[in-house]
Amino acid sequence: MIGQTETNSDRILADSNEKATAIGHELAWFQEVLHIRLALYFNHETPYQSIYELPPPGLKDKEDPYADFVSKNALGFDERLLLCLAIIPHVKPEALDILLSKNKDYDRRFSEFGGVLLEGHNGLIATVDTALFLVAGGDLSKRLRYQKAFAGDFKLISLGIIDRFGQRSGMPLNSGVWMVSREYSEQLLIGKTYQAVFSADFPAQRIQSGLEWDDLVVSKSTARSLQEIKDWVQHEQVIMDDFGLGRRLKPGYKSLFYGPPGTGKTMSAALLGKVTHKSVYRVDISMVVSKYIGETEKNLAKVFDQAQKHGWILFFDEADSLFGKRTQVSSANDRYGNQEIGYLLQRIEDFDGVVLLATNLMDNIDEAFSRRFQSMVEFRMPGVEERHKLWSQSFSSKMPLDDKVDLWKLAEKFEISGGLMMNVVRKCTLNAITQGKTTITLQNLETAIRRELQKEGILLN
């Protein structure tokens, strides 16, 4: 047993050493290039005429996440060099210490090196100026070409590995931080799958379900509509590319889920992602809508851009609050509000992935959106058979129902949604545990159901 533990530890250590060697070679190459750049800039003695005379190392270990990323994205010399610059604060901050050297003429750091010192981190954090110095040195025309590339389609930025610099208002254009985000650093260094973090800057959160596709209980017509979305995701490439319909059909799939609360709209969205192996992100409408003109478009752009890059499914719950009917223009606010809707229409139109919108109030959705949906899926209140099936699969085998409970009668007696049923199951199970019972009684069930209905404003005789 002890020998087995040691063997496992040795294997883990060996794997870590292999990964450290891969990134270690890349960092060693970066530091040599940095020294060449400094030597060339200050006209110090060096056998090199250009930083490009020192080729990057071969990264043959395809199991290593960093090497795998470089290979899959076919990163060139500059891209690898600047990716290394951006990840240094996460792995080897001392690699940039040389850029902290002082200009003796002015008794301060060299301004052309860029970089900032941030509270909580002792090393230098590179800025866009640092990146430009690394690839262009003192060549102004080359620096301007790279600056233009950074504002356009430079791969590390277009892939979202490096954010748009997050510079403070009023600061120079190139003073923004040049650093890999924490999420991407984890992907590059330890192979952790990228997942966006919900925040004020990114108003979307991943939703998941512990259930399986076969656990979904909806009407037959709803099930057929959901199956169509699932089939599209799984066969879109064949239809668009192999069959050549990409010339005639717009990519992606847009669907509206509508129906009363608790009927399975959110769960269906999560299960569609699970069965098609795609992450589903629910957009927080309250964080998207801003009172400041232009902020709504900015917030949504972040979500759509990330979804486009990673193939996510986007889910807009309570969509009528954002995608509702346009107002008559009677003020500047109305005009900007309608412009926001126009922007949303265009982003949805251009998005080549799956967008799901959910609403409890179908009539509130703008007609302009209806024409852009490939399907409109109605989620009805479950019928007797559906309610029976939901009740049957909802309770734990470790806290079963009392023998006197007739689920058919329960399903016939109470017309309630699946979401409300789950609240009942939670209350009944908790009540049975706290009272030391081994089963859930009919009385407990009916009491919990009546309380849930009263909470919803439904009074029973």
Side-chain angles (χ1 to χ4, degrees), residues 278-305:
K278 288 183 174 290
S279 297
V280 181
Y281 275 80
R282 176 167 54 195
V283 180
D284 188 319
I285 302 296
S286 65
M287 291 183 70
V288 167
V289 178
S290 173
K291 63 181 179 181
Y292 299 107
I293 294 169
E295 284 297 307
T296 295
E297 290 93 331
K298 181 180 176 182
N299 291 339
L300 279 166
K302 293 177 184 177
V303 175
F304 275 104
D305 289 346

Side-chain angles (χ1 to χ4, degrees), residues 72-243:
K72 281 184 177 178
N73 290 282
L75 299 187
F77 185 103
D78 290 346
E79 292 157 341
R80 284 178 67 170
L81 188 67
L82 294 181
L83 176 60
C84 211
L85 174 67
I87 206 166
I88 277 174
H90 296 291
V91 289
K92 195 177 182 182
E94 67 271 23
L96 297 181
D97 282 355
I98 193 171
L99 298 181
L100 291 169
S101 303
K102 280 190 175 183
N103 184 330
K104 294 180 181 179
D105 293 336
Y106 300 103
D107 193 31
R108 61 175 175 78
R109 290 181 51 237
F110 289 90
S111 55
E112 56 265 51
F113 294 169
V116 292
L117 295 170
L118 301 178
E119 186 178 352
H121 181 79
N122 289 330
L124 184 74
I125 302 291
T127 60
V128 181
D129 273 323
T130 315
L132 291 171
F133 173 77
L134 193 59
V135 293
D139 188 333
L140 181 59
S141 62
K142 190 175 182 181
R143 180 185 174 98
L144 291 173
R145 287 200 302 273
Y146 276 99
Q147 195 164 319
K148 184 177 179 181
F150 292 168
D153 59 356
F154 190 70
K155 191 175 290 185
L156 297 182
I157 299 171
S158 64
L159 288 172
I161 307 300
I162 295 170
D163 201 358
R164 292 285 178 180
F165 320 135
Q167 65 199 67
R168 288 176 294 173
S169 177
M171 294 296 286
L173 182 63
N174 298 322
S175 64
V177 168
W178 184 275
M179 186 167 61
V180 173
S181 69
R182 178 177 176 179
E183 294 78 25
Y184 269 112
S185 69
E186 290 178 344
Q187 178 184 354
L188 290 168
L189 297 176
I190 61 176
K192 183 178 178 181
T193 302
Y194 172 82
Q195 296 295 341
V197 176
F198 178 76
S199 67
D201 293 328
F202 190 82
Q205 188 168 21
R206 191 182 182 196
I207 58 172
Q208 297 173 281
S209 175
L211 300 176
E212 301 299 330
W213 186 255
D214 292 339
D215 294 324
L216 193 60
V217 179
V218 290
S219 68
K220 291 181 180 178
S221 61
T222 302
R224 283 195 298 270
S225 297
L226 294 174
Q227 182 66 39
E228 181 181 304
I229 301 172
K230 172 176 171 282
D231 291 343
W232 173 263
V233 175
Q234 294 174 333
H235 301 292
E236 179 182 11
Q237 187 173 356
V238 173
I239 294 170
M240 302 295 277
D241 298 338
D242 297 355
F243 290 1

Side-chain angles (χ1 to χ4, degrees), residues 17 26 44 46 102 164 215 232-233 295 334 345 363 417:
N17 286 337
E26 196 82 348
H44 293 167
T46 175
K102 280 190 175 183
R164 292 285 178 180
D215 294 324
W232 173 263
V233 175
E295 284 297 307
D334 291 339
L345 284 167
D363 292 341
S417 68

